[in-house]
Amino acid sequence: MKGKEDFFTRKRREIGVALNEVQKKAVLQTNGALLLLASPGSGKTTTIIMRIGYLIEEKKIDPSRIKAVTFSRASAHDMKKRFKRFFPHLQPVHFSTIHSVAYEVMGEHFRKTRTAFQIIEGDLDLEEQKTMDAKHLPLHKKMILRNLFKSMVGDNITDDQMDDLTTYISFIKNKMIPPEKWSLVRTTVPEAERILHEYEAFKRSGHSKLLVDYDDMLTIGEQVLERDRELLRRVQERYDYILSDESQDTSAVQHAIIEKLVRKHGNLCVVADDDQSIYSWRGAEPSYLLNFKQVYPHAITLFMEQNYRSSKDIVTVTNQFIKRNKNRYDKNMFTKNPSSKPMKIRSLSDYIYQTKYLVQQIQKVEQLSEVAVLYRNNSSSIALINEFDRAGIPFFMKDADNRFFSHWVVEDIKNFMRMSFTDKRPDILEKIHLKFNAYISKQQMAALKEIDNNESVFDNLLNHVQLQDYQVKPLVASKETFLQMRGMPPLHAIRVIRDRLGYEKALEKICERLGFRKEYLIGILNTLEEIAVGLETMEEFASRLKHLELVLKNAKFRKDQNVVTFSTFHSAKGLEFERVYMMDLVDGIIPSSDDLKASSAAMMEEAVRLFYVGMTRAKKHLELITYRKRDGEEVKESQFVTAIRSIVNPPKKDVPKNSGAAEKDAIRDQAGLIVGKTIRHSVFGSGTIRRIDKDYIHIQFGSSVKILWITTCLEKGLLEPV
């Protein structure tokens, strides 16, 4: 025991690292399987590095016999740097991603079988993707999928559809779903299943080499280890100790690979937090952690619950909030840090005031690098970029996404504006003729393109193209509208395009036909309006868009500078800041419309975890920003904000006299909850119970369905029979 104590004492003296009792147990528990459940800010990376150092210094394990598998190349790099700082005199350990492990296995197998292969994934410029001729199609995953979509659907795939399609494919591969069940996987992309079948066939036989994408590395690696016993034995014998970090984000196929690697010796340390599992949409398996002992019956489970990051106020509230989820390990995060400032909830009258409010607050801060603004969707960042750029506040974006500026809705608006400068270009009209209320058919558009007299496209349609009687009046009105738009301020012009020209209604029809999310597309229009505020000409508007696109491109190079960080909740995981602002906190965004409509509690629980991840990034100052109106319509603050409000300011237990009837009639027993029964909710009014799960009740209020926690409804008497 003296030697073990000497290690911790020595490290405290050498590098100033002092571990708590649970962290020490995790370091000392070296043999067999260990599940280390680490709450946010609990020092998991320090504990992992100390555990590896202990294996080498105290147990005399050769560093080359230790394998640390991380979720991303960035985290592998960070752990490697941390290890070198803690143990500069030791030989390096293998820190790598699971993809790297799978690639090694796959490479060995292909060398053995003399199979020529080519990786078809990696960076490919967005504009290059769009302009590449199909005849000169590069061997790249996205270009192959783009071509298959065009041939099967008859249209060009949008960037959003490409995202959905690649997510669909990754989900299937990572979940190890067999082909006969691909049709059961939900997607909005037309012909997705057929495209995937053709994609797989093309990779096997469409080229002289076997084509492999990143997901294939995992599935091929797992299959090889399952079939090739000799190769499995060789790989197993390379390492005596394996550590897997961020395992709540690991997929079924990744778990299967790791399980095979440790099968011989069983020395596996899994570090995870089931409360921070937020990637099920791309195949992560959080249930693996809950079932860990089924795979490793003799595993030890340790709970690292002490938070070193956040103030007592933040830890107390977030710990209570995450307990709303039932499908989790029962942990109790705590801290010895003092209280700082109570968590703030800011409710604004309209969403457009969010960015202005954030600018006002952050302009007062000197150390901008300690400030983060978090949001669920990348689309929220464009309005932020616009407002902060105007205010001269620099910012960094970890995952800067320039696709907004090339989105087809943005291109449509620019083309409408171009038509107001000249109505003599049929090539411009062709791009938008189906998206406003002139009712021009494809056949009429083709006839118009044959006319080459440099006259108004509207005059040519009226004078030289066969029209239906009902088309004449709209065409005359459209011509007049475009003439009136000439020289119009861009904000006014966008509103004319949306309303008088009927573009917004056209978008609604496109959403119905193709399954696009209406809220997302309308959000792009709203953001364009915000960018247009204060600009006098459409030329200024076009220049502003180009400027912001350049600003966004440069934002990703500002890491480690004194700048504000903009990030999605997902990308913020693993980061920490003194001050955190979470914005766009309304129902429909967080939780999303899909979360609210979900038929199972799993999606809602993941939304809770995502909100929890956002809150636990804050050290001392946490502010939740919601609003009451968007685009002239009433919206509801996120039910998660409402939950936080009740935790921060719990309702008084003294019942007012005038509420005696409601208290008396409230449903207090689950037996009183019956599918089909009409009830009254204290906030949402009358509704009908549509479904009852284990922990949740689905109630239809008007056109929307709310998913509520049964325990909360019963304990607080929120429901009463009608």
Side-chain angles (χ1 to χ4, degrees):
M1 187 67 186
K2 185 175 181 297
K4 293 174 183 176
E5 290 295 329
D6 282 348
F7 174 77
F8 297 118
T9 304
R10 186 170 71 250
K11 287 300 133 188
R12 184 168 188 170
R13 174 175 50 80
E14 289 176 354
I15 57 177
V17 173
L19 303 187
N20 63 36
E21 289 307 308
V22 178
Q23 291 171 330
K24 287 179 181 178
K25 284 182 182 178
V27 169
L28 299 176
Q29 183 61 47
T30 55
N31 291 333
L34 169 66
L35 176 59
L36 185 58
L37 293 165
S39 294
S42 60
K44 76 174 179 66
T45 305
T46 296
T47 305
I48 291 169
I49 298 301
M50 290 287 279
R51 188 176 190 272
I52 294 171
Y54 177 80
L55 281 169
I56 300 169
E57 285 192 353
E58 300 297 314
K59 298 204 72 177
K60 308 304 179 187
I61 304 299
D62 185 335
S64 67
R65 307 291 300 169
I66 302 170
K67 182 73 168 177
V69 179
T70 61
F71 182 64
S72 67
R73 280 184 291 182
S75 57
H77 180 69
D78 290 344
M79 288 183 73
K80 190 174 182 179
K81 277 172 49 180
R82 183 88 65 101
F83 180 79
K84 190 171 183 180
R85 194 163 73 244
F86 279 22
F87 301 97
H89 57 287
L90 295 182
Q91 290 296 312
V93 172
H94 295 284
F95 292 100
S96 64
T97 63
I98 189 66
H99 280 85
S100 176
V101 174
Y103 180 78
E104 287 178 24
V105 171
M106 182 185 74
E108 283 193 42
H109 172 71
F110 285 156
R111 280 192 295 275
K112 180 179 175 181
T113 59
R114 300 191 178 187
T115 303
F117 72 96
Q118 182 173 331
I119 304 299
I120 56 167
E121 202 157 357
D123 292 335
L124 183 64
D125 182 76
L126 185 65
E127 291 307 311
E128 184 184 352
Q129 291 181 43
K130 291 179 178 178
T131 56
M132 275 283 186
D133 192 308
K135 293 177 183 176
H136 302 96
L137 191 70
L139 287 171
H140 190 280
K141 177 179 181 177
K142 287 190 175 179
M143 290 306 302
I144 295 167
L145 292 173
R146 190 178 296 282
N147 195 42
L148 288 171
F149 185 93
K150 176 75 172 176
S151 65
M152 291 186 189
V153 181
D155 207 348
N156 292 320
I157 191 169
T158 67
D159 295 335
D160 297 331
Q161 286 175 320
M162 180 62 81
D163 273 354
D164 288 347
L165 181 58
T166 53
T167 299
Y168 168 80
I169 293 171
S170 288
F171 183 87
I172 284 171
K173 297 287 186 71
N174 278 274
K175 286 277 192 182
M176 303 167 73
I177 298 171
E180 62 270 19
K181 293 187 178 179
W182 290 354
S183 61
L184 302 178
V185 179
R186 183 173 170 268
T187 179
T188 59
V189 180
E191 303 291 349
E193 185 189 356
R194 267 211 314 144
I195 291 170
L196 178 51
H197 278 289
E198 290 298 318
Y199 174 61
E200 292 302 303
F202 180 81
K203 284 189 298 178
R204 290 191 301 272
S205 58
H207 191 261
S208 57
K209 296 179 182 178
L210 178 67
L211 305 180
V212 177
D213 63 27
Y214 291 158
D215 295 317
D216 294 330
M217 289 182 194
L218 299 173
T219 55
I220 293 171
E222 192 276 332
Q223 290 162 7
V224 166
L225 292 176
E226 183 66 31
R227 294 194 307 259
D228 191 334
R229 295 298 172 185
E230 174 59 27
L231 179 55
L232 173 63
R233 182 188 61 76
R234 287 206 309 273
V235 176
Q236 286 174 336
E237 288 177 352
R238 284 177 197 159
Y239 307 108
D240 297 319
Y241 293 88
I242 291 180
L243 182 144
S244 175
D245 188 24
E246 298 285 3
S247 287
Q248 74 276 353
D249 299 326
T250 307
S251 67
V253 68
Q254 293 169 330
H255 288 307
I257 291 171
I258 290 171
E259 188 276 326
K260 289 176 175 64
L261 295 184
V262 304
R263 194 179 291 163
K264 190 172 181 181
H265 51 70
N267 295 329
L268 171 67
C269 175
V270 165
V271 185
D273 182 9
D274 53 314
D275 288 333
Q276 296 186 75
S277 180
I278 55 176
Y279 291 108
S280 68
W281 48 274
R282 66 184 187 198
E285 289 274 2
S287 60
Y288 168 83
L289 300 175
L290 299 174
N291 302 324
F292 192 75
K293 284 214 169 188
Q294 293 178 16
V295 182
Y296 306 98
H298 303 295
I300 302 296
T301 303
L302 294 176
F303 294 83
M304 283 173 52
E305 298 166 305
Q306 183 173 354
N307 180 301
Y308 292 92
R309 173 187 300 154
S310 305
S311 67
K312 188 174 182 180
D313 314 81
I314 292 170
V315 170
T316 301
V317 172
T318 52
N319 181 59
Q320 194 170 337
F321 174 77
I322 196 61
K323 286 179 178 292
R324 299 168 73 87
N325 279 358
K326 306 302 178 186
N327 195 30
R328 63 184 290 271
Y329 280 99
D330 187 17
K331 300 186 289 298
N332 279 291
M333 183 171 61
F334 69 94
T335 188
K336 293 181 181 177
N337 293 341
S339 293
S340 181
K341 297 177 181 177
M343 190 184 300
K344 287 185 181 179
I345 298 175
R346 186 70 58 184
S347 182
L348 303 173
S349 60
D350 196 289
Y351 92 103
I352 61 171
Y353 299 125
Q354 279 188 120
T355 52
K356 293 173 175 58
Y357 172 75
L358 285 164
V359 163
Q360 290 170 1
Q361 296 302 304
I362 294 171
Q363 276 176 329
K364 304 171 189 174
V365 180
E366 287 186 16
Q367 198 60 33
L368 296 178
S369 59
E370 285 296 338
V371 181
V373 180
L374 309 182
Y375 35 83
R376 178 162 196 172
N377 301 321
N378 254 317
S379 54
S380 299
S381 67
I382 305 300
L384 269 177
I385 291 165
N386 181 52
E387 203 67 39
F388 274 64
D389 177 69
R390 280 178 169 164
I393 303 175
F395 54 87
F396 160 71
M397 285 188 73
K398 182 181 176 185
D399 49 357
D401 186 351
N402 278 68
R403 288 176 304 172
F404 172 87
F405 298 99
S406 60
H407 196 280
W408 57 270
V409 169
V410 177
E411 287 300 315
D412 283 350
I413 294 299
K414 286 157 72 175
N415 281 322
F416 275 108
M417 289 182 174
R418 290 179 184 119
M419 280 292 294
S420 73
F421 283 98
T422 173
D423 65 358
K424 296 179 179 181
R425 290 184 55 185
D427 58 317
I428 297 175
L429 181 64
E430 185 177 25
K431 294 173 181 176
I432 57 173
H433 76 281
L434 297 174
K435 297 175 181 177
F436 70 107
N437 49 20
Y439 310 109
I440 305 165
S441 70
K442 288 184 178 180
Q443 292 79 8
Q444 290 166 339
M445 190 66 231
L448 175 66
K449 285 170 66 181
E450 296 298 317
I451 303 168
D452 184 17
N453 60 6
N454 200 33
E455 296 293 331
S456 162
V457 291
F458 297 105
D459 288 343
N460 280 338
L461 282 165
L462 290 164
N463 298 326
H464 305 295
V465 175
Q466 188 173 351
L467 301 174
Q468 301 294 326
D469 290 343
Y470 70 86
Q471 290 180 285
V472 174
K473 190 174 179 181
L475 279 171
V476 172
S478 296
K479 179 184 178 181
E480 183 63 26
T481 300
F482 278 109
L483 285 171
Q484 290 171 0
M485 280 173 58
R486 192 169 296 170
M488 191 180 281
L491 178 58
H492 189 185
I494 294 171
R495 288 175 178 167
V496 168
I497 294 165
R498 291 177 74 161
D499 301 328
R500 209 192 310 170
L501 286 173
Y503 181 65
E504 193 160 326
K505 285 186 178 177
L507 283 189
E508 290 175 9
K509 289 178 182 176
I510 290 170
C511 290
E512 289 172 13
R513 193 173 80 251
L514 300 177
F516 295 159
R517 282 196 304 117
K518 175 187 166 186
E519 297 91 342
Y520 175 57
L521 299 184
I522 299 302
I524 293 175
L525 290 177
N526 295 335
T527 300
L528 290 174
E529 286 195 3
E530 289 183 58
I531 293 170
V533 170
L535 302 179
E536 294 183 3
T537 68
M538 295 184 206
E539 291 92 339
E540 285 181 349
F541 177 71
S543 296
R544 183 70 185 160
L545 286 176
K546 281 188 178 178
H547 170 73
L548 291 176
E549 186 174 9
L550 183 62
V551 166
L552 183 54
K553 279 181 181 176
N554 292 333
K556 62 183 176 183
F557 301 114
R558 288 184 178 149
K559 190 179 181 183
D560 301 325
Q561 297 179 21
N562 186 32
V563 296
V564 180
T565 295
F566 294 162
S567 175
T568 60
F569 296 152
H570 282 96
S571 293
K573 192 154 73 70
L575 305 179
E576 59 182 29
F577 305 89
E578 287 289 324
R579 306 172 71 88
V580 169
Y581 298 86
M582 295 169 63
M583 63 179 283
D584 270 338
L585 305 183
V586 295
D587 275 356
I589 294 179
I590 177 78
S592 70
S593 301
D594 287 342
D595 297 331
L596 293 166
K597 294 174 188 172
S599 57
S600 72
M603 283 181 70
M604 183 61 83
E605 289 215 346
E606 179 151 333
V608 170
R609 295 194 294 268
L610 187 59
F611 201 84
Y612 172 77
V613 164
M615 291 192 294
T616 53
R617 301 309 95 202
K619 295 179 183 178
K620 292 182 179 176
H621 181 104
L622 175 59
E623 194 158 341
L624 311 180
I625 304 172
T626 183
Y627 44 83
R628 298 184 290 278
K629 240 180 202 182
R630 184 170 187 133
D631 309 326
E633 295 183 6
E634 298 287 333
V635 292
K636 290 180 180 176
E637 76 173 17
S638 167
Q639 56 186 259
F640 300 156
V641 174
T642 307
I644 294 295
R645 200 188 294 278
S646 68
I647 294 170
V648 174
N649 297 303
K652 293 180 181 178
K653 292 186 179 179
D654 296 330
V655 181
K657 292 179 182 179
N658 62 0
S659 68
E663 180 70 18
K664 179 182 175 184
D665 295 338
I667 300 171
R668 298 289 183 177
D669 192 292
Q670 191 162 342
L673 302 177
I674 302 166
V675 174
K677 185 173 184 177
T678 301
I679 51 82
R680 180 175 297 281
H681 187 279
S682 59
V683 175
F684 302 125
S686 293
T688 304
I689 299 173
R690 293 299 182 201
R691 177 174 175 171
I692 299 173
D693 293 331
K694 182 181 175 185
D695 300 303
Y696 297 88
I697 183 169
H698 302 239
I699 307 176
Q700 182 155 2
F701 298 98
S703 60
S704 67
V705 174
K706 300 288 182 186
I707 303 174
L708 308 174
W709 281 272
I710 291 174
T711 303
T712 303
C713 290
L714 298 179
E715 287 178 355
K716 297 191 175 181
L718 300 179
L719 307 178
E720 55 180 295
V722 174

